[in-house]
Amino acid sequence: MRAFVLGLAAALCVAPRSAAAQAAYAADTSGRAAPPSVEIHVVGEGPELDELPASIASWFRGSTSAVKVERSAVLVPDLILNPGPRAGVRIWIALESPELVRVFYVVEDSPGAPPRYLVEETLLARGLDRVEAEQLAQTAYLSATALWEGRLESARSELEAKLSAAVLMPPLPAPIDAPLVQRTEAVSSARPAPAREPPSWRRRLRLGAAYALRFRGTQGLAQGPEARAAETWRRESLELSGGLRAGLWLPEQVNADGLELSFAGSTWNGGIGAGFAFAKAAALALDLESGVDVIQRHTVRVSDGTLRADGGRVELSPNTSVTLGASVEHAGIAFLLAVRMTVQWQRFRYGIAERDGATVILTPWQVQPGLCGGAQW
């Protein structure tokens, strides 16, 4: 079943050969065994490429034992156009920019046979994160298998056109049948690698959901779900953001000196933040926000018959909060745990109003610590 699904997906990746050419070649390759060898070359620099070669290789190791993986700083067109007399599949994956990957495939059916080519381009919506890398590895396996079996192919002229658009090294002085590693080293020693362009900012909309707790002293515990939407700008390990956060406070009842009060409401905040990735999938984040709590209060019960309960009220409480958290990312989703300190700009006091004054029985903290945990994607 898996082979059928993989084969179908590969057939849809790029445009096939002409019907006549495909039918003729399919007759020769029906029931064809797996390629005798697979070479995978990942071209480029950056931590996002560290796990990609092993991920691609894992797709082939179930069908062939001869799998070779290599990292290169530059793309050499002569190695692709004239790979040498070795039967098998060769794949070059070049990260042209944070948004574009070009993949070049070469197949030789037998030693010295004319090579067949395939070229693909993949646009990255979120950069080469773990999800994009796994999808790229799967696509590389499907397309290489389809080229080996004769179901897909690109013209050599198309391959040459895509190579000319890339940042390339000059033709190699080494002979065509020289070992691959020696030829790559000869180019590196003859000319230094080109200077790497400074990374650019990547923009992304992130959504999140969390559950928050806030300790208000004698007023009790405020808790409820919240949601956040933020526009982020990321470059290497640094991420800046600006966003909005909204939450609900679930009803909470408080008993004090014969009064039973109920509090509920919502919170609305906006602010800025900064994050720093200190490991491949872990980061620290700091957010500074200002907003307002909309507090709905009413008296549930009065134990003293001489007292009269007032009606319910809606109170607005402006505040500023600072949130410090740590996150771990898996499959494109970041799981967050944070501490939050909220400062109320206005002091509230709840009590009993009498002719000769008022008796205060409940005073919420102005500085309210809290916790929150959730996920964002």
Side-chain angles (χ1 to χ4, degrees), residues 336-355:
L336 173 72
L337 182 62
V339 294
R340 178 179 295 154
M341 190 68 66
T342 302
V343 179
Q344 301 284 355
W345 296 356
Q346 182 178 351
R347 178 180 290 275
F348 288 88
R349 294 182 176 90
Y350 303 101
I352 301 172
E354 300 174 322
R355 290 182 179 180

Side-chain angles (χ1 to χ4, degrees), residues 104-160:
F104 304 91
Y105 306 85
V106 180
V107 158
E108 290 185 70
D109 300 311
S110 60
R116 295 183 287 112
Y117 306 103
L118 178 64
V119 58
E120 294 177 331
E121 291 184 350
T122 300
L123 296 178
L124 305 175
R126 302 183 303 273
L128 194 61
D129 59 13
R130 291 193 174 186
V131 175
E132 296 277 13
E134 182 59 31
Q135 292 176 349
L136 179 60
Q138 181 179 359
T139 301
Y141 169 76
L142 297 174
S143 299
T145 302
L147 178 61
W148 173 254
E149 294 176 354
R151 293 182 281 112
L152 295 176
E153 188 172 335
S154 299
R156 180 184 173 106
S157 59
E158 180 182 357
L159 187 83
E160 291 173 340

Side-chain angles (χ1 to χ4, degrees), residues 170-330:
L172 291 175
I176 296 302
D177 56 351
L180 179 62
V181 175
Q182 292 181 4
R183 292 163 67 193
T184 304
E185 291 177 352
V187 173
S188 300
S189 61
R191 177 177 175 178
R196 186 183 178 188
E197 295 183 359
S200 59
W201 290 96
R202 290 184 292 170
R203 182 180 176 185
R204 177 182 177 187
L205 174 65
R206 303 204 73 169
L207 303 177
Y211 196 86
L213 305 174
R214 191 194 295 180
F215 301 95
R216 301 177 296 185
T218 55
Q219 189 180 353
L221 177 68
Q223 60 179 317
E226 61 182 31
R228 186 172 187 263
E231 194 79 19
T232 65
W233 295 265
R234 183 165 187 172
R235 184 172 69 181
E236 295 185 333
S237 300
L238 178 64
E239 182 176 271
L240 305 179
S241 65
L244 300 173
R245 175 171 59 88
L248 292 177
W249 296 128
L250 302 179
E252 182 76 18
Q253 294 184 358
V254 180
N255 292 292
D257 290 346
L259 295 180
E260 185 174 348
L261 304 177
S262 176
F263 297 92
S266 58
T267 181
W268 305 87
N269 299 269
I272 58 175
F276 178 76
F278 61 89
K280 191 174 183 64
L284 292 175
L286 179 67
D287 295 304
L288 176 63
E289 298 172 310
S290 288
V292 61
D293 289 341
V294 181
I295 304 171
Q296 299 174 350
R297 173 185 60 82
H298 71 276
T299 304
V300 178
R301 182 178 56 86
V302 178
S303 60
D304 190 343
T306 64
L307 301 178
R308 181 175 58 86
D310 65 349
R313 293 187 58 184
V314 175
E315 300 165 337
L316 300 181
S317 175
N319 60 73
T320 297
S321 63
V322 177
T323 305
L324 176 62
S327 64
V328 176
E329 187 165 345
H330 177 70

Side-chain angles (χ1 to χ4, degrees), residues 38-53:
V38 175
E39 294 179 4
I40 302 166
H41 306 268
V42 176
V43 183
E45 299 178 354
E48 66 273 15
L49 297 174
D50 291 344
E51 298 182 5
L52 184 59

Side-chain angles (χ1 to χ4, degrees), residues 4-74:
F4 172 78
V5 174
L6 296 180
L8 179 60
L12 298 176
C13 287
V14 295
R17 297 176 169 187
S18 66
Q22 181 170 337
Y25 196 86
D28 296 335
T29 59
S30 58
R32 188 175 195 184
S37 67
V38 175
E39 294 179 4
I40 302 166
H41 306 268
V42 176
V43 183
E45 299 178 354
E48 66 273 15
L49 297 174
D50 291 344
E51 298 182 5
L52 184 59
S55 179
I56 301 173
S58 65
W59 283 86
F60 290 94
R61 289 201 169 95
S63 57
T64 180
S65 58
V67 179
K68 179 182 178 181
V69 175
E70 183 174 298
R71 288 284 298 272
S72 303
V74 292

